Amino acid sequence: MPVNCRNCPIRRRDCFLPMSDSEIEAMGRFKSGELTVGPRSSILMEGSNSPQLFTVLEGQGLRYKVLENGRRQVISFVFPGDFLGLQAGVMSEMKHSVESATSMRLCVFERANLWSFFRDHPERAFDLTWLAAVEEHFLGEKVLSLGQRSATERIAWAFLRVWERLGALGLRTNGAVPFPHRQQDLADALGLSLVHTNKTLARLRQLQVAGWSDGWLSVFDPGTLADLALADPGEAVPRRPLL
Amino acid sequence: MPVNCRNCPIRRRDCFLPMSDSEIEAMGRFKSGELTVGPRSSILMEGSNSPQLFTVLEGQGLRYKVLENGRRQVISFVFPGDFLGLQAGVMSEMKHSVESATSMRLCVFERANLWSFFRDHPERAFDLTWLAAVEEHFLGEKVLSLGQRSATERIAWAFLRVWERLGALGLRTNGAVPFPHRQQDLADALGLSLVHTNKTLARLRQLQVAGWSDGWLSVFDPGTLADLALADPGEAVPRRPLL
DNA sequence: CGAATGTTTGATCCTTGTCAACTGCTGTGG
DNA sequence: CCACAGCAGTTGACAAGGATCAAACATTCG
């Protein structure tokens, strides 16, 4: 199978930094194929011990956990460049589930090769650790949000982050980015009820600050949005790893 | 300086799994010393670019972030075996602050040596990634809690996790573990107000399920606690990594 | 002893969740 | 072609869990 990993996110560092030919050669031996899944389909299941790891090339999805009483928490939204399955890779099993929102194209790796990959390509191992640290950072921000921000602040914050992140991926077209989820998904992500989420969204729309409909998120006034979110507008995605 | 890393948590995998002599030799070159800090002192600051990384040998502390409006979120409590500063290590700066609750003894590493460490010791690099993945798992659980659990459920869940984790470290003496924090810290960790936290604690104490005073957390009835927490009592700390 | 810090308790308010009904859209089958 | 079900979004009324305010109490420490 021809391997086209020139933009493979596992070596993204700065969002899809291109790889050298020898790097592609090395990655190619790790990569085992590509996978395309339809919308709303399950990619990884909590508790499963998936033999494959993925990197997102296209499309969006979400990670989630469910409580014993059935309530669902969306841990994070999944964007192009994200790495899926690290937990299954280094621990014995996945600690959350992943499903697609739109149809997605995934780069597939064999978990079994992860170890030799670490041994033979320390730079790539470092990248992986970097990805994990970035993920940890995002989760830390999310914890801060859920713990300390009000409903409006949470939504404003989420909009800002999504908008910035997708913008950094070059997916922004005059102020709008694709955000193909349901209101229920956002509610579950922010720990709010669907009804309250809806009403808060209406308020933001009415304030002419940001709007989200038909799967597109538009930010009209990033400044006020940042104010509403109690967030520094500039500090979105960490971009300059060491080395 | 004599290096005593036989139980260094960076190679813990299964909570302080002893290292072989050659491993200790290798670690020794990475380790640069030990540090002891007093209670309530700052170890790492958000935004700083610390030249040192730490591993906790003794004592407890907490990681936190503060919002622009001054509200504080405790990201997680820090226990022996935790690794501090990974973000500063692989990203440009720390994304949260760390401070001690009790006095702490820390194992100190030079950040500058991290890269060669990755190159020369792929197994240890793998361990580091594993630590990051475990941290990610804990944060995911925390997000679930903050998003979907009620006040009582959150406190019950926190107590259960702390009790299990410290128990696994061998710090449990007839049902009680050291948990040297203030009610305000727990409140900030769970996104609750101090007052409500206090009242909920009183209720748990009155129910004879768990009690926390003078820095010691006692769990009298793990079963009911797990029920209250909507949690599976068994799934505490992931223990069996690959390789 | 007074000051500082942390815990406890009561009264009140308000943000958010719950319940319920209605809209608009899309796809399906008679 | 229409009836209908199913799903996502919208809106109003009401209830409640938790926040806020305020004050008392206990300990420690200089």
Side-chain angles (χ1 to χ4, degrees):
Chain A
M1 165 176 322
V3 174
N4 173 16
C5 254
R6 188 165 292 276
N7 287 320
C8 192
I10 205 181
R11 175 62 178 98
R12 74 177 171 157
R13 286 284 180 74
D14 193 55
C15 293
F16 295 102
L17 193 66
M19 304 168 72
S20 73
D21 285 339
S22 66
E23 281 173 335
I24 291 172
E25 164 64 19
M27 289 299 302
R29 256 173 285 145
F30 185 31
K31 178 175 182 175
S32 75
E34 276 187 23
L35 174 66
T36 304
V37 300
R40 303 253 146 241
S41 47
S42 177
I43 296 173
L44 290 167
M45 288 287 288
E46 176 167 0
S48 75
N49 187 345
S50 165
Q52 273 124 21
L53 311 175
F54 308 99
T55 252
V56 180
L57 298 174
E58 249 180 60
Q60 292 188 34
L62 43 81
R63 300 175 222 250
Y64 66 94
K65 280 168 167 279
V66 289
L67 220 43
E68 297 192 350
N69 63 2
R71 302 187 59 149
R72 180 183 72 148
Q73 174 67 38
V74 170
I75 304 292
S76 64
F77 294 103
V78 172
F79 299 111
D82 281 0
F83 190 73
L84 304 177
L86 179 61
Q87 295 183 339
V90 297
M91 302 201 277
S92 46
E93 58 178 45
M94 282 303 289
K95 297 302 184 180
H96 56 250
S97 306
V98 181
E99 77 174 40
S100 62
T102 63
S103 68
M104 296 177 78
R105 199 159 55 88
L106 305 166
C107 182
V108 184
F109 302 98
E110 287 303 314
R111 198 181 92 169
N113 297 337
L114 188 59
W115 166 240
S116 53
F117 181 67
F118 254 81
R119 192 192 22 190
D120 300 340
H121 305 286
E123 332 78 41
R124 296 294 86 77
F126 196 93
D127 290 348
L128 246 193
T129 306
W130 181 76
L131 278 174
V134 169
E135 207 55 51
E136 189 186 330
H137 163 57
F138 283 146
L139 284 181
E141 281 229 310
K142 182 140 201 166
V143 167
L144 174 61
S145 253
L146 293 184
Q148 308 299 338
R149 278 189 247 251
S150 72
T152 311
E153 289 160 0
R154 283 184 219 182
I155 293 188
W157 170 81
F159 274 6
L160 198 60
R161 286 291 175 263
V162 167
W163 190 70
E164 283 170 335
R165 177 119 187 244
L166 287 170
L169 289 173
L171 294 175
R172 193 187 299 162
T173 24
N174 48 2
V177 296
F179 192 57
H181 300 277
R182 294 167 303 189
Q183 294 189 353
Q184 182 70 63
D185 296 322
L186 184 63
D188 287 348
L190 301 180
L192 299 170
S193 72
L194 170 62
V195 174
H196 198 66
T197 301
N198 180 291
K199 288 172 180 169
T200 310
L201 286 173
R203 215 170 309 131
L204 282 181
R205 204 179 307 131
Q206 184 193 328
L207 286 174
Q208 309 272 343
V209 176
W212 172 37
S213 57
D214 302 313
W216 287 85
L217 168 65
S218 305
V219 173
F220 307 122
D221 187 345
T224 351
L225 197 58
D227 289 346
L228 285 174
L230 298 178
D232 177 354
E235 60 155 286
V237 190
R239 290 306 191 67
R240 243 171 276 121
L242 304 175
L243 304 183
Chain B
M1 163 178 318
V3 174
N4 173 15
C5 253
R6 190 165 290 277
N7 287 320
C8 190
I10 206 180
R11 174 60 178 101
R12 72 178 173 158
R13 286 280 182 78
D14 194 56
C15 293
F16 296 101
L17 192 67
M19 303 166 73
S20 72
D21 285 338
S22 66
E23 280 173 333
I24 291 171
E25 164 65 17
M27 289 298 303
R29 258 172 286 145
F30 184 32
K31 178 174 182 174
S32 73
E34 275 188 24
L35 175 66
T36 302
V37 301
R40 304 251 147 243
S41 48
S42 176
I43 297 173
L44 289 167
M45 288 286 288
E46 176 168 359
S48 75
N49 187 345
S50 165
Q52 273 125 23
L53 311 176
F54 308 99
T55 251
V56 180
L57 298 174
E58 249 181 62
Q60 293 186 35
L62 43 83
R63 300 174 223 250
Y64 67 93
K65 279 168 170 276
V66 290
L67 218 43
E68 299 192 350
N69 62 3
R71 302 186 59 148
R72 180 184 74 148
Q73 173 68 38
V74 170
I75 303 292
S76 64
F77 294 105
V78 172
F79 300 112
D82 281 0
F83 188 74
L84 306 177
L86 179 61
Q87 296 182 340
V90 297
M91 303 202 276
S92 47
E93 58 178 44
M94 282 303 288
K95 297 303 184 179
H96 56 250
S97 305
V98 181
E99 75 174 42
S100 61
T102 63
S103 68
M104 298 177 77
R105 199 159 54 87
L106 305 167
C107 182
V108 184
F109 301 98
E110 287 303 315
R111 200 181 90 169
N113 298 337
L114 188 59
W115 166 240
S116 54
F117 182 67
F118 256 79
R119 177 170 21 91
D120 300 339
H121 305 286
E123 333 78 43
R124 296 294 87 76
F126 195 94
D127 291 347
L128 247 194
T129 305
W130 181 77
L131 279 173
V134 169
E135 207 54 52
E136 188 186 331
H137 163 58
F138 283 146
L139 283 182
E141 281 227 312
K142 182 139 202 168
V143 167
L144 174 61
S145 253
L146 293 184
Q148 308 298 338
R149 281 189 246 251
S150 72
T152 311
E153 290 161 359
R154 283 184 220 182
I155 292 187
W157 169 82
F159 275 6
L160 198 60
R161 286 293 175 259
V162 167
W163 190 70
E164 283 171 335
R165 178 117 186 246
L166 287 170
L169 288 174
L171 294 175
R172 193 187 298 161
T173 22
N174 50 0
V177 295
F179 191 56
H181 300 277
R182 296 166 301 188
Q183 293 188 357
Q184 183 69 62
D185 296 324
L186 184 63
D188 287 348
L190 301 180
L192 299 170
S193 72
L194 170 61
V195 174
H196 197 65
T197 301
N198 181 290
K199 289 172 180 170
T200 309
L201 286 172
R203 215 170 310 132
L204 283 181
R205 204 180 307 133
Q206 185 192 327
L207 285 174
Q208 309 271 342
V209 176
W212 172 38
S213 56
D214 301 314
W216 286 85
L217 168 65
S218 305
V219 174
F220 308 120
D221 185 346
T224 356
L225 197 59
D227 288 346
L228 285 175
L230 297 178
D232 178 354
E235 59 155 286
V237 190
R239 288 310 189 66
R240 245 172 272 120
L242 304 175
L243 301 183

